[in-house]
Amino acid sequence: MNRKLTVNVDKPQNNMDTLYGIFFEDINHAADGGLYGELVRNRSFEFCPVDNPSYHGLTAWEKVEQDGKVRLQIETGNPVHPNNPHYLAMDIVKQGEDVGVWNVGYNTGIPLREKESYNFCCYVKREQDLECPCTVSLRSKEGAIYAEKTFLADMEWKKIELELTSPVTDFEARLTITAKGYGKVYLDFVSLFPKNTFLNKRWGFRRDLAEMIADLKPRFMRFPGGCLVHVGSLDENARDSQYRWKNTLGEPEGRPPRKNVDYNQTLGIGYMEYFEFCKEIGTKPIPVFSAGYDPHSQKAAPLDRMQPWIDDVLDLISFATEGEDTYWGRKRIELGHSEPFPLDTIAIGNEEVGEAFFERYAIIHQAVKEKYPWIKIINSAGPYAEGEGWERGWKSADEWNSEYVDEHYYQSPEWFIGNQFRYDAYSREKSKVFLGEYASKANKWKNALAEASYMIGLERNADIVKYACYAPLLCNVDYVQWNPDMIWFNNHQVYGTPNYYVQKLFMNHHGDVTLDYEYEDKIQQKNEIKTIQGGIILESLGSDILIKEMEIENIHTGEKIVLGDYRIEQGGKENILEKLDWSNYRIRLLFTEMDKEDERDGFRLLFGRRDADNWYAWDAAVGDNRESFVVESNSGIGYVVTQHSWCVTRGRTYCMELEVNDSHICTYVDGKKMHDTISQPMVIAPLYLSAVLDKETGDVIIKGVNMQDKPVAVDIDFSQNVKEEAEVFYLQCNDLDTENSFEEPEKIAIQTRTEQVKDGILTYTFEPYSVNILRMGTDPA
Ligand code: AHR
């Protein structure tokens, strides 16, 4: 028997016009070596150990010596631009056939495509032999020359701009500069861009990546990070400064090099480029600012010296939105953009927690509201789905009436399925949710499906969940800092993950207003009881630890298992119980961290262990002895359920208690409650459904996710005149472990078909393990 779904097209519910967007984070070489079209790595010879201990001025550069001899040195005496003080002195000590230097690019080399042209640019000067030519060439890694052009140097810096066309396709090529004659040839800002960039812009974005992003049709873009925003020195001129947008404007050769989290950033993609890209792909820019505090190093700007941080925010608002009567508005116009950018929302902080952040948030929040009261501000609830930091962020948002709170979480697919109702329980009276980072920790079809089902829950709560973006967006396969990611690439290929295609379906068929509907199996919270039973293990995560008087008590019967004392060496573990069948129990122990200078983390009390992949843990005094977590692992994917800050004093003894009542977990230290959380049961609903209206086309969009292994046939009544044909866009795969790859980039990809409507009813079968979009044109007649 078919199920029946009635969509009440004339009963609009919540506005969701900005719900799905992207988070462009410069991580995993998403910008340099990624979206930024530059093919030369370390173009200005600015790489240094500050960026990464393995870097130096000649990283990615190698000598070319045939017959002759060259010495490569990095000099600083007379740079092209003071912001980029280093340059290469190529000292030809023995003249030869082919003497110079080449750049090996990113990944396997410089990617060349047959008949495509490339813009070469460099600054050059030399100390003698001015009549001897320099040559730029595109070559194979064996040295075969594909294309070359010559130029002459002067004794002063001269900018050379040339075009080279490649007769071949070679993704392992080299960009080479050689010179005839003797003595020093100086080079700086050696750059090669494909002419074929996104929208054919000079200094533009890599076309395939930009198109993958544009194809999503995101409604907003959060940028530029991520940890990138807050990691680093508070001095904007320091080589490892936090991300300061004013450093990112103007000619590329004048932008200062900066340390990204652990690589170099040229700032070639700067704030102008971010804003312009948003405009080009029709999305709303949402920049993220540091609040003058680095939560990693805990360095904070003094509270009475916050003006530079306030100015960074106010000036950016002026830069984006004001006219030539303001300094920063004029600056934007001078940089070639006379129209303002549509900036109305900003974020202060990227998952920052701790009092130092909230004090500074308050200062910046007030300054923005005073000068630009119409700007909406996103506060921060830290990196975890619940716990002390999350609560503190929401409290701060209450205090300051922040329009939004940025939530971040990376959990298992089981968590996403089990937490479908997370936002149903949120207050409707408080700040709205900006879900700035989330992902289910792998790129398999199972993960994408779980995320899709969760997104249906976001739509059901579109009155309070106003923005949501998967994270991170991009990853270069040879420079992975964070996994999973939505789009993977190397220097010449790109593929979208199943997670990408889910995001694409939901963004391409976004809709603007949710619609009321009736469905017999409407998803609702089921009061299922989940029990946490299984083995118990004690593990030292850092120092030697002493556990005394350990015992387990059955909360219902009072029965006790006395376990006694353990001394666990650094990194060691102790199997305490293979299996505990109770589901209501209290584990009590006395914990002392033994003195040891070099290790800091505390211990893990693993409980409810069903097997190596499925367990719970209380991680106490971890993260450099700063935090305590309840952790859960489902099918090998571990994640933080809830967090609390905590630091132990060596040598002091703490009374630790863990209480489990079915799925309710509480922890106590010296009688004081630390964690209090419920591990939600993973209940798969018969069908996850959402109905939305696209205001522009008048189309009714049904989103349906079937996570079961059997099909669900539904008769859909739109309670209104509809066209005779529905467009269908769907993803389906019976193997939940399926992933896309360079070899099979579209193993999971969007398929389309049409379905006929009979007597006003669309009968549709939601196949097992599928994500479906049904687009139905309404007929006003
Ligand atoms: O998106 C990956 C990282 O996750 C971000 O840098 C940070 O905000 C979070 O910890």
Side-chain angles (χ1 to χ4, degrees):
M1 255 273 279
N2 289 0
R3 309 261 163 197
K4 192 164 167 20
L5 165 67
T6 307
V7 183
N8 296 318
V9 178
D10 51 359
K11 279 201 197 152
Q13 294 190 315
N14 300 308
N15 215 325
M16 55 164 265
D17 51 0
T18 57
L19 184 55
Y20 301 124
I22 52 173
F23 170 36
F24 180 89
E25 174 180 14
D26 189 3
I27 190 172
N28 306 318
H29 279 263
D32 292 293
L35 187 60
Y36 190 44
E38 178 63 82
L39 301 176
V40 174
R41 184 162 182 231
N42 190 15
R43 67 183 174 190
S44 295
F45 307 96
E46 297 296 337
F47 277 30
C48 72
V50 173
D51 304 324
N52 181 301
S54 70
Y55 283 8
H56 49 81
L58 286 168
T59 296
W61 292 96
E62 291 172 359
K63 284 180 188 178
V64 173
E65 286 177 328
Q66 202 188 317
D67 300 336
K69 203 156 185 44
V70 65
R71 262 200 309 250
L72 302 181
Q73 274 162 236
I74 299 297
E75 294 191 7
T76 52
N78 176 22
V80 170
H81 196 288
N83 285 347
N84 282 290
H86 301 89
Y87 51 92
L88 174 67
M90 195 165 86
D91 192 3
I92 303 172
V93 287
K94 181 172 171 240
Q95 189 170 186
E97 253 321 284
D98 199 25
V99 182
V101 69
W102 75 20
N103 188 271
V104 301
Y106 296 93
N107 304 93
T108 52
I110 305 270
L112 299 177
R113 288 191 165 84
E114 190 184 340
K115 295 200 182 107
E116 290 217 349
S117 298
Y118 298 83
N119 284 318
F120 168 75
C121 173
C122 82
Y123 285 81
V124 65
K125 65 174 181 161
R126 69 189 295 174
E127 59 181 7
Q128 64 187 66
D129 282 355
L130 297 181
E131 71 293 348
C132 292
C134 301
T135 302
V136 54
S137 55
L138 303 175
R139 303 184 176 197
S140 73
K141 68 173 192 253
E142 290 78 26
I145 297 174
Y146 298 138
E148 63 180 353
K149 281 198 176 157
T150 55
F151 55 90
L152 291 177
D154 293 338
M155 290 188 77
E156 294 304 325
W157 286 114
K158 184 162 87 171
K159 188 175 188 178
I160 307 293
E161 289 183 279
L162 294 169
E163 197 177 305
L164 295 162
T165 301
S166 175
V168 298
T169 293
D170 179 353
F171 302 124
E172 301 181 5
R174 306 289 187 249
L175 175 76
T176 311
I177 298 172
T178 50
K180 299 283 186 214
Y182 281 101
K184 284 186 175 175
V185 179
Y186 300 99
L187 293 170
D188 203 357
F189 193 73
V190 182
S191 164
L192 188 75
F193 267 75
K195 285 198 80 170
N196 180 12
T197 55
F198 183 60
L199 305 177
N200 299 315
K201 288 174 83 171
R202 182 69 179 107
W203 313 112
F205 289 3
R206 189 173 140 177
R207 182 184 283 277
D208 55 352
L209 292 186
E211 284 178 353
M212 283 286 281
I213 298 171
D215 286 350
L216 286 167
K217 300 200 174 76
R219 297 268 170 123
F220 69 93
M221 180 168 104
R222 174 178 187 249
F223 65 93
C227 291
L228 168 75
V229 166
H230 59 212
V231 172
S233 163
L234 300 173
D235 172 2
E236 68 186 308
N237 297 314
R239 183 63 173 66
D240 63 343
S241 78
Q242 289 188 340
Y243 193 95
R244 307 297 286 267
W245 71 273
K246 290 173 186 167
N247 281 333
T248 73
L249 305 179
E251 292 299 310
E253 53 268 51
R255 300 184 192 181
R258 283 291 180 267
K259 172 184 165 63
N260 194 317
V261 172
D262 72 0
Y263 58 94
N264 175 276
Q265 49 177 336
T266 62
L267 301 179
I269 300 185
Y271 258 58
M272 262 316 258
E273 288 78 17
Y274 282 124
F275 278 132
E276 285 183 344
F277 184 57
C278 286
K279 189 167 175 207
E280 286 153 8
I281 67 170
T283 200
K284 168 185 163 129
I286 303 192
V288 184
F289 294 91
S290 159
Y293 169 60
D294 175 355
H296 299 257
S297 66
Q298 313 222 311
K299 278 187 229 126
L303 286 172
D304 58 355
R305 273 185 266 149
M306 282 295 291
Q307 202 55 44
W309 306 95
I310 296 171
D311 288 346
D312 258 17
V313 182
L314 299 182
D315 294 345
L316 195 264
I317 299 169
S318 173
F319 177 79
T321 65
E322 294 186 325
E324 59 186 350
D325 50 333
T326 62
Y327 175 85
W328 285 104
R330 211 159 43 245
K331 190 97 186 152
R332 182 196 71 243
I333 295 165
E334 280 162 22
L335 290 172
H337 208 97
S338 53
E339 289 300 308
F341 293 111
L343 177 73
D344 66 9
T345 306
I346 59 152
I348 302 171
N350 161 66
E351 70 179 36
E352 271 88 321
V353 284
E355 285 319 297
F357 168 70
F358 292 109
E359 286 169 331
R360 285 159 185 79
Y361 172 89
I363 293 171
I364 301 175
H365 178 106
Q366 291 174 88
V368 172
K369 287 293 176 186
E370 196 179 314
K371 186 149 185 213
Y372 300 107
W374 46 271
I375 285 281
K376 299 187 193 79
I377 305 182
I378 305 166
N379 204 325
S380 165
Y384 305 112
E386 57 180 274
E388 189 195 25
W390 176 88
E391 281 165 22
R392 182 65 185 91
W394 277 93
K395 183 165 165 269
S396 167
D398 279 353
E399 278 166 14
W400 296 104
N401 274 326
S402 317
E403 279 82 1
Y404 307 103
V405 176
D406 187 11
E407 295 196 343
H408 294 181
Y409 38 80
Y410 296 91
Q411 319 290 82
S412 69
E414 288 80 356
W415 184 96
F416 279 96
I417 296 165
N419 284 273
Q420 166 74 216
F421 301 98
R422 176 181 176 91
Y423 295 112
D424 297 39
Y426 271 43
S427 160
R428 272 37 207 172
E429 312 307 322
K430 295 185 173 220
S431 310
K432 310 287 184 228
V433 176
F434 184 100
L435 177 49
E437 293 184 25
Y438 73 97
S440 71
K441 291 192 111 172
N443 288 135
K444 297 182 174 174
W445 177 228
K446 172 183 177 177
N447 303 80
L449 256 184
E451 287 154 13
S453 73
Y454 193 73
M455 290 164 84
I456 298 287
L458 301 183
E459 295 196 12
R460 192 174 57 252
N461 287 283
D463 58 330
I464 55 156
V465 183
K466 288 300 178 189
Y467 297 88
C469 46
Y470 181 96
L473 179 66
L474 292 174
C475 186
N476 184 319
V477 287
D478 288 327
Y479 309 94
V480 182
Q481 291 174 298
W482 189 277
N483 190 351
D485 303 282
M486 205 204 288
I487 299 170
W488 290 78
F489 59 91
N490 56 26
N491 62 353
H492 64 287
Q493 291 166 296
V494 55
Y495 71 88
T497 56
N499 320 63
Y500 169 85
Y501 288 108
V502 161
Q503 294 292 327
K504 187 172 175 185
L505 271 186
F506 277 63
M507 286 187 222
N508 283 192
H509 306 284
H510 194 289
D512 308 292
V513 186
T514 58
L515 297 172
D516 179 52
Y517 67 83
E518 281 134 43
Y519 183 65
E520 47 201 288
D521 279 334
K522 211 162 185 170
I523 27 177
Q524 36 182 294
Q525 184 112 44
K526 303 252 183 341
N527 292 324
E528 301 244 341
I529 303 281
K530 173 178 180 182
T531 51
I532 300 175
Q533 296 170 326
I536 296 174
I537 296 177
L538 266 175
E539 214 175 313
S540 150
L541 300 175
S543 307
D544 294 359
I545 58 170
L546 197 61
I547 303 293
K548 295 193 102 173
E549 297 175 26
M550 183 168 181
E551 60 177 33
I552 308 177
E553 182 187 353
N554 185 317
I555 292 173
H556 284 171
T557 64
E559 189 184 338
K560 272 190 188 164
I561 306 173
V562 177
L563 294 157
D565 303 346
Y566 304 88
R567 185 185 174 111
I568 306 177
E569 304 268 295
Q570 179 188 332
K573 62 165 92 162
E574 195 74 49
N575 282 322
I576 306 292
L577 271 187
E578 207 48 55
K579 196 163 183 312
L580 179 71
D581 288 333
W582 300 340
S583 33
N584 304 80
Y585 50 94
R586 186 179 299 114
I587 304 176
R588 190 180 163 280
L589 54 89
L590 300 176
F591 157 66
T592 316
E593 187 161 318
M594 307 307 287
D595 215 354
K596 205 147 201 269
E597 289 305 313
D598 52 343
E599 291 296 342
R600 310 200 57 179
D601 277 359
F603 79 105
R604 162 170 284 185
L605 170 59
L606 213 131
F607 59 101
R609 183 183 186 276
R610 294 195 298 287
D611 54 44
D613 289 336
N614 295 284
W615 43 261
Y616 294 81
W618 179 9
D619 284 356
V622 294
D624 285 341
N625 187 19
R626 289 211 291 245
E627 304 200 88
S628 169
F629 301 116
V630 173
V631 178
E632 182 169 348
S633 171
N634 308 127
S635 311
I637 298 189
Y639 58 92
V640 171
V641 179
T642 184
Q643 161 275 351
H644 199 283
S645 44
W646 190 47
C647 114
V648 298
T649 305
R650 266 142 236 277
R652 193 185 137 182
T653 298
Y654 298 86
C655 174
M656 319 272 296
E657 286 170 288
L658 169 80
E659 214 173 83
V660 175
N661 277 296
D662 299 321
S663 54
H664 190 173
I665 304 164
C666 291
T667 69
Y668 300 83
V669 175
D670 292 338
K672 201 165 159 229
K673 191 182 266 183
M674 180 174 278
H675 302 291
D676 185 341
T677 187
I678 291 176
S679 171
Q680 296 293 347
M682 190 197 72
V683 181
I684 293 182
L687 195 59
Y688 296 85
L689 282 172
S690 169
V692 194
L693 180 73
D694 181 320
K695 285 210 276 202
E696 202 181 307
T697 59
D699 288 357
V700 176
I701 299 164
I702 310 283
K703 299 182 178 119
V705 180
N706 183 2
M707 294 205 63
Q708 303 183 93
D709 58 0
K710 50 181 184 291
V712 183
V714 181
D715 291 334
I716 307 171
D717 182 347
F718 292 87
S719 64
Q720 156 149 356
N721 287 337
V722 287
K723 303 231 162 98
E724 280 174 5
E725 211 171 64
E727 284 180 285
V728 180
F729 306 83
Y730 65 102
L731 296 163
Q732 197 280 330
C733 182
N734 287 333
D735 176 3
L736 292 174
D737 287 332
T738 303
E739 291 182 84
N740 289 342
S741 61
F742 288 126
E743 293 70 37
E744 292 181 287
E746 299 200 337
K747 220 169 165 183
I748 299 226
I750 298 171
Q751 305 182 58
T752 57
R753 63 169 193 265
T754 53
E755 291 278 349
Q756 298 305 312
V757 176
K758 286 197 198 93
D759 303 326
I761 304 288
L762 168 64
T763 298
Y764 185 80
T765 300
F766 293 87
E767 296 296 340
Y769 306 124
S770 65
V771 180
N772 308 262
I773 304 287
L774 315 180
R775 251 198 120 99
M776 199 63 240
T778 48
D779 217 335

